[in-house]
Amino acid sequence: MNAKNPGKWWLYVLLSLAVVVVAAPFVWMVLGSFKTTAELRQSPPTWLPETATLDNYTQLFSRLDFGTYFFNSTVVAVVVTAGNLLFCSMLGYALAMLEFRGKRALFGLVMGTLLIPGVVTFVPLFVLVANAGLIDTLPGLMLPFLAAPFGVFLMRQFILGLPRDLLDAGRVDGAGELRIFAKIILPLCGPALATLGILTFLGSWNNFLWPLVVAQTEDTYTLPVALALYSKGQNATNYGLLLAGATVVVIPVLMVFLAFQRRVIEGIATTGIK
Amino acid sequence: MSTLTDGADTARREQLPSRKARPRTGLREGRAAWVLALPFVLLFLVFTVWPVLQSLFMSVTDTRAQDLRTPLAVDFVGLENYARALTDENFLRAARNTAYFVVVGVPLTLTLALAAAVALDRGITRFRSAFRLGFYTPVVTSIVAVAVVWQFLLQREFGLINTVLGWVGITGPNWLGDPDWSMPALIMMAAWRNFGTGMIIFLAGLQAVPWALHEAAAIDGANAWQRFRHITLPLMKPTILFVSVTTMIGYLQFFEEPFVMTNGGPLDSTVSMSLYTYRQFGFGNYAYAASLSYLIFVVVALVTALQFRALREKG
């Protein structure tokens, strides 16, 4: 197929329909968050709100404490992202460019844990964090995720593609090893850091199982934990409120994703891991 | 730390003859490498390696929540927890539910992903990145939020899905309230949310399929389906294998969907292995939960190995 032939028209129609189906739940969620619960119980359902109201959002941030949950989610995601960017690029550089004893074994060990399901570690992790007195604290939510094998893999792959001459040039100029990393290598890792940063942020923001067991009072709830628990509790039938809550969870990351989408999609295409 | 670098230095010195003209580089390099590796390695040992081993240890003991502060004062029970799991009717039910989710969900997700990728790669030339973005978007959203929204979409009377089905004369089922329809509903949602990841990887893989082969086959009279079947599919095999393994690993651990939407019901029709393990943990049965989590791990490893083998043999 060449550039003059844009393709079959019916394929555009089909793909457009598919995009509508994929996007419909989100559109319906956002529109629904401005509806009253009475309207949400109507059959057939409405698309546009008949009487648009901000009441759901007011309740979310006044009667419930979604401001706090939003803050918790943000702090945890930012710290986890910063930790992974720093620690994974340090190790990734060492594995890609430096020679040291135990290198192969270390790389094998880190990659070997990529396959292990999260559920395998969570019982002893809970015991560990509980014994450290970190249950129901923000550090308890962050610590287990500060150093993830996926980031090491991604950074190592990227740094392997950089010319080794950089290293030798730095050494000839008399720069120390750590200085070479900080001043020469790291500034060149922008694309990989952006990909890792955005994927880690999204992963942390959407993380559920661990915050569910560690956050035990409303002070430390993250957004997904709060939303999941409210959807089962006394607010379970307050449909407008739950849709507004879902909107607050989804829309900020959707904005971040759209801003950096090229990086995310390239990252998935090259590493194959989301 | 110092012993590690000392060891590295000794090794480095011994290797020096083979590295010309840079007598001090190796020594410095080894030390610097470990300094750089150290923060990650410490966190990794404490929060990944130790829990993996501790979980294995726990699974052969009788640890319960009340033993939290004295983890070594528990009794060794051998493989009792594993034996119990294999005769626990509720766990076996969860295993069957998980198998249902995987066996139907993975092929469905892969088919959607491959269809979307092929359509975007060969079928059209305009708006490609816009379609790609649209299909990928659900992947980055919170499963919890998505599950809350789909709970409403799947409502029997006023849900969007049954309304749309009503337009074409179909009376939709009580999706989440009927044990026969609850799992199909969760599978439908999972496929909707996840096919974008596979699509992106397939799009990258399709770059490796030489267009000249398609043209040659077309000249020989092969139709589009034959070309897809005999050129694209065989060349895409490594990519398909990769996507099916990663999708399957994810689906084997599904948890949020039943946790939010059905709480495992109705009639336990959507209790997954992860959800059941989480519940045992919640009851304080830490050792039993640890053994269940290892069983999930074993299933993940086995399925991955089998899949690699099956795809290699077919070729």
Side-chain angles (χ1 to χ4, degrees):
Chain A
M1 197 147 305
N2 56 48
K4 281 176 196 160
N5 181 354
K8 301 178 180 69
W9 64 268
W10 56 265
L11 209 49
Y12 284 96
V13 174
L14 201 66
L15 285 167
S16 305
L17 276 175
V19 166
V20 169
V21 170
V22 169
F26 295 118
V27 176
W28 189 82
M29 168 189 79
V30 174
L31 292 173
S33 72
F34 297 106
K35 293 175 193 166
T36 60
T37 294
E39 188 182 340
L40 283 164
R41 288 177 150 280
Q42 275 176 30
S43 178
T46 55
W47 269 107
L48 292 172
E50 282 166 351
T51 44
T53 168
L54 282 174
D55 195 38
N56 298 319
Y57 288 96
T58 322
Q59 276 197 53
L60 217 51
F61 288 96
S62 60
R63 190 166 68 77
L64 305 179
D65 206 1
F66 265 63
T68 303
Y69 315 146
F70 196 94
F71 174 81
N72 292 342
S73 274
T74 310
V75 170
V76 171
V78 166
V79 173
V80 166
T81 305
N84 274 285
L85 288 180
L86 183 65
F87 303 142
C88 296
S89 60
M90 284 161 72
L91 179 56
Y93 166 67
L95 288 172
M97 287 224 177
L98 303 179
E99 286 305 322
F100 58 100
R101 196 177 161 119
K103 175 170 153 172
R104 286 173 61 92
L106 180 59
F107 183 62
L109 182 66
V110 173
M111 289 304 106
T113 57
L114 265 178
L115 254 189
I116 296 179
V119 71
V120 168
T121 54
F122 103 90
V123 180
L125 259 184
F126 182 83
V127 176
L128 186 75
V129 168
N131 284 334
L134 293 174
I135 292 298
D136 210 22
T137 66
L138 292 186
L141 292 176
M142 301 164 184
L143 273 170
F145 298 96
L146 284 180
F150 163 67
V152 174
F153 175 68
L154 194 143
M155 293 312 298
R156 175 183 173 270
Q157 293 307 103
F158 184 83
I159 295 171
L160 277 177
L162 298 176
R164 273 196 68 90
D165 301 351
L166 290 168
L167 190 66
D168 298 325
R171 283 177 179 164
V172 168
D173 289 345
E177 297 291 334
L178 301 182
R179 205 178 152 78
I180 293 174
F181 167 69
K183 297 285 177 188
I184 302 177
I185 303 296
L186 211 48
L188 294 171
C189 289
L193 289 172
T195 303
L196 176 60
I198 185 74
L199 288 176
T200 309
F201 188 91
L202 293 173
S204 174
W205 185 273
N206 296 335
N207 194 13
F208 182 62
L209 179 57
W210 181 250
L212 178 67
V213 297
V214 172
Q216 301 193 333
T217 62
E218 302 200 352
D219 290 341
T220 53
Y221 280 179
T222 59
L223 283 172
V225 172
L227 183 62
L229 296 181
Y230 286 134
S231 79
K232 296 150 113 26
Q234 56 181 2
N235 294 299
T237 49
N238 197 341
Y239 295 156
L241 189 72
L242 291 177
L243 286 179
T247 306
V248 170
V249 179
V250 165
I251 294 304
V253 292
L254 216 53
M255 303 293 222
V256 177
F257 165 66
L258 290 177
F260 295 97
Q261 50 105 354
R262 199 166 287 275
R263 288 257 72 87
V264 179
I265 288 176
E266 276 167 18
I268 306 300
T270 47
T271 64
I273 305 169
K274 64 166 190 259
Chain B
M1 167 66 212
S2 69
T3 43
L4 284 174
T5 31
D6 287 348
D9 292 347
T10 321
R12 191 54 54 207
R13 262 179 233 119
E14 283 160 11
Q15 281 176 26
L16 279 181
S18 63
R19 314 237 329 176
K20 293 162 233 152
R22 288 192 301 181
R24 284 195 52 82
T25 305
L27 186 148
R28 259 184 25 190
E29 192 174 311
R31 183 171 295 166
W34 273 107
V35 169
L36 288 165
L38 199 66
F40 185 96
V41 170
L42 284 179
L43 286 165
F44 179 68
L45 288 177
V46 175
F47 293 109
T48 302
V49 177
W50 166 251
V52 167
L53 299 175
Q54 173 73 7
S55 191
L56 189 59
F57 169 76
M58 226 181 234
S59 74
V60 293
T61 66
D62 60 357
T63 311
R64 294 184 42 82
Q66 48 268 39
D67 303 318
L68 201 72
R69 294 194 174 275
T70 52
L72 294 173
V74 295
D75 288 326
F76 178 75
V77 298
L79 297 178
E80 207 173 272
N81 290 315
Y82 292 96
R84 176 180 160 197
L86 297 178
T87 52
D88 178 349
E89 203 33 63
N90 292 319
F91 178 68
L92 296 178
R93 177 74 202 252
R96 283 196 299 273
N97 291 339
T98 306
Y100 183 1
F101 188 77
V102 169
V103 168
V104 179
V106 172
L108 178 65
T109 309
L110 255 72
T111 308
L112 288 174
L114 194 57
V118 170
L120 291 187
D121 187 62
R122 303 289 192 217
I124 63 167
T125 53
R126 284 188 211 146
F127 310 117
R128 208 179 261 164
S129 53
F131 282 125
R132 194 179 62 168
L133 182 61
F135 291 148
Y136 186 71
T137 300
V139 177
V140 302
T141 54
S142 152
I143 306 187
V144 171
V146 158
V148 165
V149 174
W150 273 71
Q151 231 180 327
F152 298 127
L153 299 179
L154 290 163
Q155 289 276 4
R156 182 189 219 160
E157 292 96 15
F158 47 87
L160 196 58
I161 290 173
N162 280 357
T163 306
V164 172
L165 288 176
W167 293 345
V168 288
I170 299 171
T171 310
N174 182 12
W175 294 97
L176 297 176
D178 180 336
D180 290 332
W181 287 102
S182 51
M183 194 55 98
L186 296 195
I187 291 171
M188 192 163 70
M189 185 183 96
W192 166 84
R193 182 175 180 276
N194 292 305
F195 84 96
T197 308
M199 176 199 67
I200 300 288
I201 302 170
F202 284 144
L203 273 170
L206 283 170
Q207 308 298 315
V209 179
W211 193 226
L213 272 182
H214 272 267
E215 281 171 351
I219 291 167
D220 290 345
N223 64 30
W225 169 251
Q226 286 169 327
R227 280 177 287 156
F228 173 76
R229 175 73 189 76
H230 296 286
I231 299 173
T232 308
L233 266 189
L235 285 168
M236 287 287 284
K237 220 170 69 177
T239 318
I240 293 172
L241 171 67
F242 180 81
V243 176
S244 57
V245 169
T246 51
T247 309
M248 192 173 270
I249 291 173
Y251 281 15
L252 277 168
Q253 302 172 60
F254 81 114
F255 171 76
E256 283 98 333
E257 297 89 341
F259 182 90
V260 173
M261 295 168 77
T262 59
N263 212 4
L267 298 175
D268 286 343
S269 60
T270 56
V271 177
S272 70
M273 290 198 290
S274 292
L275 183 59
Y276 189 70
T277 307
Y278 169 80
R279 284 183 179 169
Q280 290 302 322
F281 168 78
F283 297 149
N285 300 330
Y286 287 4
Y288 191 44
S291 70
L292 296 181
S293 75
Y294 257 86
L295 285 177
I296 297 176
F297 182 28
V298 168
V299 172
V300 166
L302 273 181
V303 158
T304 308
L306 279 179
Q307 220 164 4
F308 270 101
R309 233 177 118 169
L311 249 99
R312 206 182 308 135
E313 277 169 7
K314 265 191 210 158

